[in-house]
Short mmCIF file of all heavy atoms in Angstrom, two decimals:
data_model
loop_
_atom_site.label_atom_id
_atom_site.label_comp_id
_atom_site.label_asym_id
_atom_site.label_seq_id
_atom_site.Cartn_x
_atom_site.Cartn_y
_atom_site.Cartn_z
N MET X 74 -13.41 103.78 -109.99
CA MET X 74 -14.37 102.84 -109.42
C MET X 74 -15.41 102.38 -110.43
O MET X 74 -16.07 101.35 -110.23
CB MET X 74 -15.05 103.46 -108.20
CG MET X 74 -14.14 103.60 -106.99
SD MET X 74 -13.49 102.01 -106.39
CE MET X 74 -14.99 101.22 -105.80
N SER X 75 -15.60 103.12 -111.51
CA SER X 75 -16.55 102.71 -112.55
C SER X 75 -15.86 102.08 -113.74
O SER X 75 -16.51 101.79 -114.76
CB SER X 75 -17.38 103.92 -113.01
OG SER X 75 -16.53 104.93 -113.55
N SER X 76 -14.56 101.82 -113.63
CA SER X 76 -13.78 101.32 -114.77
C SER X 76 -13.95 99.83 -115.01
O SER X 76 -13.52 99.32 -116.05
CB SER X 76 -12.30 101.65 -114.57
OG SER X 76 -11.79 100.94 -113.43
N GLY X 77 -14.54 99.11 -114.08
CA GLY X 77 -14.72 97.67 -114.23
C GLY X 77 -15.55 97.11 -113.10
O GLY X 77 -15.98 97.85 -112.20
N PRO X 78 -15.82 95.80 -113.12
CA PRO X 78 -16.63 95.18 -112.07
C PRO X 78 -15.96 95.28 -110.69
O PRO X 78 -14.73 95.25 -110.58
CB PRO X 78 -16.73 93.71 -112.51
CG PRO X 78 -16.40 93.71 -113.96
CD PRO X 78 -15.43 94.84 -114.17
N ILE X 79 -16.78 95.40 -109.68
CA ILE X 79 -16.32 95.36 -108.29
C ILE X 79 -17.06 94.22 -107.58
O ILE X 79 -18.07 93.71 -108.07
CB ILE X 79 -16.59 96.68 -107.54
CG1 ILE X 79 -18.11 96.96 -107.46
CG2 ILE X 79 -15.85 97.83 -108.19
CD1 ILE X 79 -18.47 98.11 -106.55
N VAL X 80 -16.54 93.81 -106.42
CA VAL X 80 -17.21 92.81 -105.59
C VAL X 80 -17.55 93.48 -104.26
O VAL X 80 -16.66 93.92 -103.54
CB VAL X 80 -16.32 91.58 -105.34
CG1 VAL X 80 -17.06 90.55 -104.47
CG2 VAL X 80 -15.89 90.95 -106.66
N ALA X 81 -18.85 93.60 -103.99
CA ALA X 81 -19.31 94.20 -102.73
C ALA X 81 -19.75 93.11 -101.77
O ALA X 81 -20.44 92.16 -102.18
CB ALA X 81 -20.46 95.17 -102.99
N MET X 82 -19.35 93.22 -100.51
CA MET X 82 -19.68 92.21 -99.50
C MET X 82 -20.10 92.87 -98.20
O MET X 82 -19.51 93.87 -97.79
CB MET X 82 -18.49 91.30 -99.23
CG MET X 82 -18.08 90.42 -100.39
SD MET X 82 -16.54 89.52 -100.06
CE MET X 82 -15.35 90.84 -100.32
N THR X 83 -21.09 92.30 -97.56
CA THR X 83 -21.43 92.68 -96.19
C THR X 83 -20.74 91.70 -95.26
O THR X 83 -21.00 90.49 -95.33
CB THR X 83 -22.95 92.64 -95.95
OG1 THR X 83 -23.60 93.51 -96.86
CG2 THR X 83 -23.27 93.08 -94.53
N LEU X 84 -19.86 92.21 -94.42
CA LEU X 84 -19.12 91.37 -93.48
C LEU X 84 -19.68 91.54 -92.08
O LEU X 84 -20.14 92.62 -91.72
CB LEU X 84 -17.63 91.73 -93.48
CG LEU X 84 -16.91 91.79 -94.83
CD1 LEU X 84 -15.43 92.08 -94.62
CD2 LEU X 84 -17.11 90.51 -95.61
N ALA X 85 -19.63 90.49 -91.29
CA ALA X 85 -20.11 90.56 -89.90
C ALA X 85 -19.16 89.83 -88.97
O ALA X 85 -18.60 88.79 -89.32
CB ALA X 85 -21.51 89.95 -89.80
N ARG X 86 -18.99 90.40 -87.80
CA ARG X 86 -18.24 89.80 -86.71
C ARG X 86 -18.23 90.80 -85.55
O ARG X 86 -18.73 91.92 -85.67
CB ARG X 86 -16.81 89.42 -87.10
CG ARG X 86 -15.90 90.58 -87.47
CD ARG X 86 -14.42 90.24 -87.30
NE ARG X 86 -14.07 90.12 -85.89
CZ ARG X 86 -12.91 89.64 -85.46
NH1 ARG X 86 -12.00 89.19 -86.30
NH2 ARG X 86 -12.64 89.59 -84.17
N TYR X 87 -17.66 90.42 -84.44
CA TYR X 87 -17.48 91.33 -83.32
C TYR X 87 -16.54 92.47 -83.76
O TYR X 87 -15.48 92.22 -84.31
CB TYR X 87 -16.88 90.55 -82.14
CG TYR X 87 -16.37 91.41 -81.00
CD1 TYR X 87 -17.25 92.08 -80.16
CD2 TYR X 87 -15.00 91.54 -80.78
CE1 TYR X 87 -16.77 92.86 -79.13
CE2 TYR X 87 -14.52 92.32 -79.74
CZ TYR X 87 -15.41 92.98 -78.92
OH TYR X 87 -14.94 93.75 -77.89
N ARG X 88 -16.98 93.72 -83.55
CA ARG X 88 -16.22 94.91 -83.92
C ARG X 88 -15.76 94.85 -85.38
O ARG X 88 -14.59 95.09 -85.71
CB ARG X 88 -15.02 95.08 -82.98
CG ARG X 88 -15.40 95.43 -81.54
CD ARG X 88 -14.20 95.62 -80.67
NE ARG X 88 -13.34 96.70 -81.16
CZ ARG X 88 -12.09 96.90 -80.77
NH1 ARG X 88 -11.54 96.09 -79.88
NH2 ARG X 88 -11.39 97.91 -81.25
N ALA X 89 -16.71 94.53 -86.25
CA ALA X 89 -16.39 94.33 -87.67
C ALA X 89 -15.76 95.55 -88.31
O ALA X 89 -14.81 95.42 -89.10
CB ALA X 89 -17.66 93.93 -88.42
N VAL X 90 -16.28 96.74 -88.01
CA VAL X 90 -15.79 97.96 -88.65
C VAL X 90 -14.30 98.17 -88.35
O VAL X 90 -13.48 98.36 -89.25
CB VAL X 90 -16.61 99.19 -88.22
CG1 VAL X 90 -15.98 100.47 -88.76
CG2 VAL X 90 -18.06 99.07 -88.70
N SER X 91 -13.94 98.12 -87.07
CA SER X 91 -12.55 98.40 -86.69
C SER X 91 -11.62 97.26 -87.12
O SER X 91 -10.48 97.52 -87.55
CB SER X 91 -12.44 98.64 -85.19
OG SER X 91 -12.89 97.53 -84.46
N TYR X 92 -12.07 96.02 -87.01
CA TYR X 92 -11.21 94.90 -87.40
C TYR X 92 -10.96 94.88 -88.92
O TYR X 92 -9.86 94.56 -89.37
CB TYR X 92 -11.82 93.56 -86.97
CG TYR X 92 -11.46 93.18 -85.55
CD1 TYR X 92 -12.41 93.17 -84.54
CD2 TYR X 92 -10.15 92.82 -85.22
CE1 TYR X 92 -12.09 92.83 -83.24
CE2 TYR X 92 -9.81 92.47 -83.92
CZ TYR X 92 -10.78 92.47 -82.93
OH TYR X 92 -10.46 92.13 -81.64
#
Side-chain angles (χ1 to χ4, degrees):
M74 289 299 293
S75 60
S76 64
I79 62 170
V80 181
M82 293 173 283
T83 302
L84 308 184
R86 64 157 290 169
Y87 168 72
R88 292 181 60 195
V90 173
S91 59
Y92 274 111

